[in-house]
Every structure is written in structure tokens, then in C-alpha cells.
Amino acid sequence: MKKNILYTIRQYSLAASGFIMLLLLASCSSNGNQQEHEGSHTTETDTVAGMNKDSQMKDHSNMDHSNEKAEDHQQMEMQPARDTLDELYLSALPANQSVISKQSAVPVKDSIQQFTITGQGYITFDPRRNRKISVRFGGRIERLYAKYNYQYVRKGEKIMEIYSPDLNTYVSEYIYIRQKSNDLELMKKAKQKLLLLGLSDAQIAQIDKNPAAPFTISIYSPFEGYVLFNPSASSSGMTSSGPQGGMGGGMNSGAAESTGTASTSLDDNSIREGMYVSKDQTVFWINDFQTVLGVVAFSHENEKIAKPGLDVVVKSELFPDQTFRSVVRMVEPVYRGAQKFTQARLYFSNPNRKLKQNSLIRASALVNSGSLIVPASSVYHVGSTAIVWVLKTKTKDGSNVFQARAIRTGNRSNEYIEVLKGLNSSEFVAKDAGYLADSETIIQY
């Protein structure tokens, strides 16, 4: 039994020793493979490094060329990503400010174009043809025959009758000298005084026939034309709110010299029966309307174009098929009703009085302008603001990207519009701006 135990121990010892030997052999085999693999990797790396070093030493230019090809290849790989980003950016732009469209773009031209400028106006009295009617003695108007503004009177027609104590005194003196004195020189002086006071030879002859002094003295019109109580209002188209102070004095310019009665007037500067007039007072004016004044308003942008000497063609509302030609005589800037414009004066011959007071006219003139121009269809009006769609870039598929921009326009024709501010000659704009604008969108510019 003792022998069996010893035999069993010996068997276990041999098995353990064999197992340990197997472990040692496996460990050695693994370390050998790892060293072999590291040695092989090191050898390959050294070989490649040596080859690269030899290549650089042999041909450095070939190495540079290879690097450039590598960079180009890298850029080509990155280009699709950039294009994708650009497309996303363009697609994300506000639709009311930028538009992507296949519409063609036209260049902004810098050339000389012929434009037609137009203005609206009216016909009024030529103030140069106003003739003043004044009385040479003070008194009271007993009868008035020229009662209305724009009333037509003829030369030699009776316009009023005045009672004047002063004039009656001078007439009585003349009658007394003629009846009681044989002094021809004194009689001549008395008659001349009556003529200077405004009496005609026919009136003096009537006094010679009737030895009594008349109660009233008739005043006759020395001119033919239309009566104007306020010529400044007629020539400017504005109504005066008070008496006229110029042109020889208004209706209340002073007191009567010897009657002691002040002259009177109405708010519209007209006269009525029963009013008092003073010596040398202007009662109204007469204009024959043989030459008329045309007042035409041009826009403020045409101030530099509408100059004196500019030939214009005028059409009247009274004769739509007939044209009148004239020349701008004077230009003045006017600010009225919170609006600034240029007012031009035109003169027309009107021998038959075909043109009427306050009739409307339309004036046009051809001018040559050298500036930036765009097609008329390229301008889109947003209220009082004019905008164009300016070409900014192109998409990958060739579509144009337009952006809205406000501009300042000048003259325009049927085909082109002058651009005063907002564009330069190197830019392009959309040909048809209306197709790029949505009527329900508030365009940002």
C-alpha cells in the first residue's frame, strides 16, 4: 500500500512538470512571433523612409509637383461640400429681399439718351399788358358799369359816374370865365385844367352847350380789355385776402384831398356804387389779353434742364389737336404745399383771344441727357420709392441671384429711365422687375 501511494505521487509530479513545460513552450512561441512581427514592421518602415529620402534627393521638383496634385485633389474633394453650403445659404435668404430666378440680367448703360420732360400748367394774364385805370379827383361813385372781375370793356365805353365837389368847382370856374371874361388866355388855361382832370373834349363841348355844372362826371375807359380788380391774384393764380397796396395805391390808400372822406374797399379789392375814391387812386386794371402768360410746373429733378431758352411744345385743353410753340423765358424754384418744383414762364400770342384765362395746358420738351440708364421695365415702384433687382451672384445650376436696391430716378422715356443715384455702370439688373416682386410682400431694400 505504501508503494501505491508513492507511485501515485510520482505520477502527479510528472503531469505537473509536463504542464509547466507546455506553458513555457507556449510563452516562448508567442514572444518569438511578436518580436518577428515588430522586426518585420521596423524593417518595412525603414525601407520606405529610405526610399522617400532617396527620392527627395534625386528629384525635389517631382516632390513639389506631387504635393500640388495632392492639394488639388483635396480641394476637389471639399468643393461639393462648399457648393452644398452655398446652395443652402442662397436658399435661406429672405424672399422679400433676394430672389433666385432664371430671368436674364441687363447691364447698366452709361450713354446719351433723348428724353421728353413734361409739365402741367395754366393760362393767365400777362402782367406786362396791364393798364391802370385811376381817378384824377376824389368823390363818390354814383353809377358803376364795370362791376365784375374779368368783365370785358371797350375803349371809350363809360365805366362809372362820380360826384366830385372839387371837379364841380373847377367846372363852375370854367363856365364863369367863359361867360364873364373875354380873356382868351385865361379861358384856355381853365379848359386845359379840365382836360388834365380827365374830361374829354366832347364833355367840355357838352358843358359849353349847357352853362350849368353837371351833378356827376362820367369816366370812360381809355383801353379795351378785361377788368382786373386784383392783377397780382390773376397772374399768380392766388386769391388776395386784402386790398392791393401796389400799382398806384389800394382802395384805402388815403383820404380824399378836399372832401375829407376816406376811400373804401372790399376784401377782394373790388369797387361798388356808393363807395368813395380818392385822388389818383387806382380803381382797377384792364388787360387786352392779346399776349398771355403760361405758367408751367416741372418736377424738381428737371430744374437743371428747364432753363431759359428751352423750346417747348404746348397743348391746350381747349384745342387738343392743336399745338403751340414757345420758349421758356424765366424759371423760378417754388415751394408750395410741402412740395418743391420748378415753375417756368411761357408767353403766347393770342390775337383772337382763343386761349382763355385759367385754361389748362401741357408742355413738353426734348432734352439730351448723358447719364446712367436702365430699361423702363427694370424699375419697380414701391409707393414713391423706385427699386431695381441687382445681380449679386449665380447658383450652381446657373440661376441668377438678385437683391433689391432703392435708386433715385430722373427723366424717363418709353424705353429707358435715367438713374441719378444708386447704381454704377459695372452692375447688372433684372430685365423685368415686376416679375420678381410679389404684390403681397413688403420688399426690403
Side-chain angles (χ1 to χ4, degrees):
M1 186 174 179
K2 184 177 181 180
K3 292 181 179 180
N4 292 335
I5 293 171
L6 292 174
Y7 179 79
T8 302
I9 293 171
R10 188 179 296 110
Q11 292 293 327
Y12 278 111
S13 298
L14 291 173
S17 299
F19 181 73
I20 292 172
M21 289 298 293
L22 291 173
L23 290 175
L24 291 176
L25 289 174
S27 176
C28 292
S29 176
S30 175
N31 290 336
N33 292 334
Q34 183 177 1
Q35 290 179 0
E36 182 180 358
H37 177 72
E38 290 179 356
S40 177
H41 179 71
T42 303
T43 305
E44 290 177 359
T45 304
D46 294 341
T47 304
V48 172
M51 292 175 65
N52 290 339
K53 185 175 180 180
D54 294 339
S55 176
Q56 290 178 359
M57 294 175 63
K58 290 180 180 180
D59 193 357
H60 186 270
S61 62
N62 291 338
M63 182 63 181
D64 292 339
H65 184 66
S66 177
N67 291 336
E68 290 178 359
K69 286 185 177 181
E71 291 178 359
D72 293 340
H73 180 70
Q74 184 179 5
Q75 290 180 359
M76 291 177 64
E77 291 179 349
M78 294 176 64
Q79 188 65 33
R82 292 179 180 177
D83 292 342
T84 303
L85 291 176
D86 291 342
E87 292 291 338
L88 292 176
Y89 171 74
L90 296 176
S91 300
L93 291 176
N96 61 345
Q97 186 176 7
S98 299
V99 176
I100 301 176
S101 174
K102 289 286 188 179
Q103 184 180 146
S104 61
V106 294
V108 180
K109 297 181 180 179
D110 187 1
S111 62
I112 298 178
Q113 291 289 327
Q114 190 176 60
F115 295 95
T116 301
I117 62 173
T118 59
Q120 306 289 338
Y122 60 94
I123 295 294
T124 187
F125 289 93
D126 183 1
R128 303 174 302 175
R129 301 192 70 85
N130 288 340
R131 301 294 182 263
K132 182 171 62 175
I133 304 298
S134 58
V135 293
R136 303 182 185 184
F137 47 85
R140 184 179 69 247
I141 301 175
E142 296 294 334
R143 296 293 301 273
L144 182 64
Y145 302 99
K147 300 180 180 181
Y148 311 107
N149 206 26
Y150 305 148
Q151 181 179 340
Y152 188 80
V153 297
R154 300 185 181 277
K155 184 176 181 180
E157 182 180 347
K158 185 188 294 187
I159 55 178
M160 69 177 65
E161 294 179 4
I162 298 180
Y163 165 73
S164 174
D166 291 341
L167 186 59
N168 286 347
T169 301
Y170 298 143
V171 172
S172 299
E173 289 178 357
Y174 171 75
I175 294 174
Y176 180 81
I177 294 173
R178 186 175 181 278
Q179 291 178 350
K180 302 298 182 179
S181 175
N182 295 324
D183 191 345
L184 298 178
E185 187 66 23
L186 185 60
M187 187 181 300
K188 182 179 178 181
K189 293 294 183 180
K191 182 178 180 180
Q192 185 178 6
K193 187 173 185 178
L194 294 179
L195 292 173
L196 294 176
L197 288 174
L199 273 67
S200 64
D201 291 331
Q203 288 177 296
I204 296 177
Q206 185 67 28
I207 293 174
D208 292 339
K209 295 179 182 180
N210 187 6
F215 177 74
T216 60
I217 299 297
S218 299
I219 305 297
Y220 298 90
S221 174
F223 311 107
E224 180 177 358
Y226 297 92
V227 173
L228 301 176
F229 289 115
N230 195 346
S232 61
S234 301
S235 60
S236 63
M238 300 175 62
T239 302
S240 177
S241 59
Q244 180 69 19
M247 300 286 292
M251 296 302 296
N252 51 357
S253 59
E257 184 177 349
S258 60
T259 60
T261 304
S263 61
T264 55
S265 66
L266 299 177
D267 291 339
D268 59 354
N269 210 38
S270 61
I271 57 177
R272 294 292 184 268
E273 293 178 352
M275 289 184 175
Y276 285 87
V277 292
S278 59
K279 181 182 178 181
D280 296 331
Q281 176 183 325
T282 300
V283 291
F284 51 75
W285 288 258
I286 292 180
N287 192 304
D288 59 3
F289 217 59
Q290 296 291 319
T291 301
V292 295
L293 170 65
V295 181
V296 179
F298 294 98
S299 62
H300 175 59
E301 288 76 11
N302 296 322
E303 182 177 358
K304 297 181 179 180
I305 301 175
K307 294 182 178 180
L310 179 66
D311 294 328
V312 295
V313 178
V314 178
K315 287 187 176 182
S316 173
E317 64 173 348
L318 302 177
F319 312 100
D321 299 331
Q322 186 177 355
T323 58
F324 304 88
R325 293 190 174 273
S326 184
V327 178
V328 175
R329 296 299 182 185
M330 190 184 75
V331 176
E332 56 179 342
V334 178
Y335 183 82
R336 186 182 304 162
Q339 184 179 6
K340 187 176 181 180
F341 53 91
T342 301
Q343 187 169 279
R345 291 191 176 186
L346 314 173
Y347 294 96
F348 305 94
S349 178
N350 191 33
N352 299 324
R353 299 185 179 90
K354 296 189 301 181
L355 297 174
K356 303 300 180 182
Q357 165 72 358
N358 289 331
S359 59
L360 300 180
I361 58 175
R362 179 184 177 88
S364 60
L366 293 176
V367 295
N368 294 324
S369 177
S371 59
L372 298 179
I373 59 173
V374 295
S377 60
S378 298
V379 180
Y380 184 79
H381 293 275
V382 182
S384 60
T385 304
I387 68 166
V388 293
W389 296 94
V390 183
L391 178 64
K392 303 302 293 183
T393 184
K394 288 181 176 292
T395 62
K396 184 179 180 181
D397 62 351
S399 299
N400 294 323
V401 180
F402 298 100
Q403 186 174 8
R405 183 188 299 177
I407 61 172
R408 181 183 173 189
T409 61
N411 301 313
R412 67 175 299 159
S413 63
N414 294 331
E415 298 180 357
Y416 295 99
I417 294 181
E418 181 183 15
V419 179
L420 303 179
K421 187 178 180 180
L423 290 174
N424 57 64
S425 58
S426 62
E427 293 182 308
F428 290 78
V429 296
K431 185 177 181 180
D432 296 311
Y435 289 103
L436 301 182
D438 188 351
S439 59
E440 297 181 357
T441 301
I442 300 177
I443 300 176
Q444 299 293 329
Y445 46 86

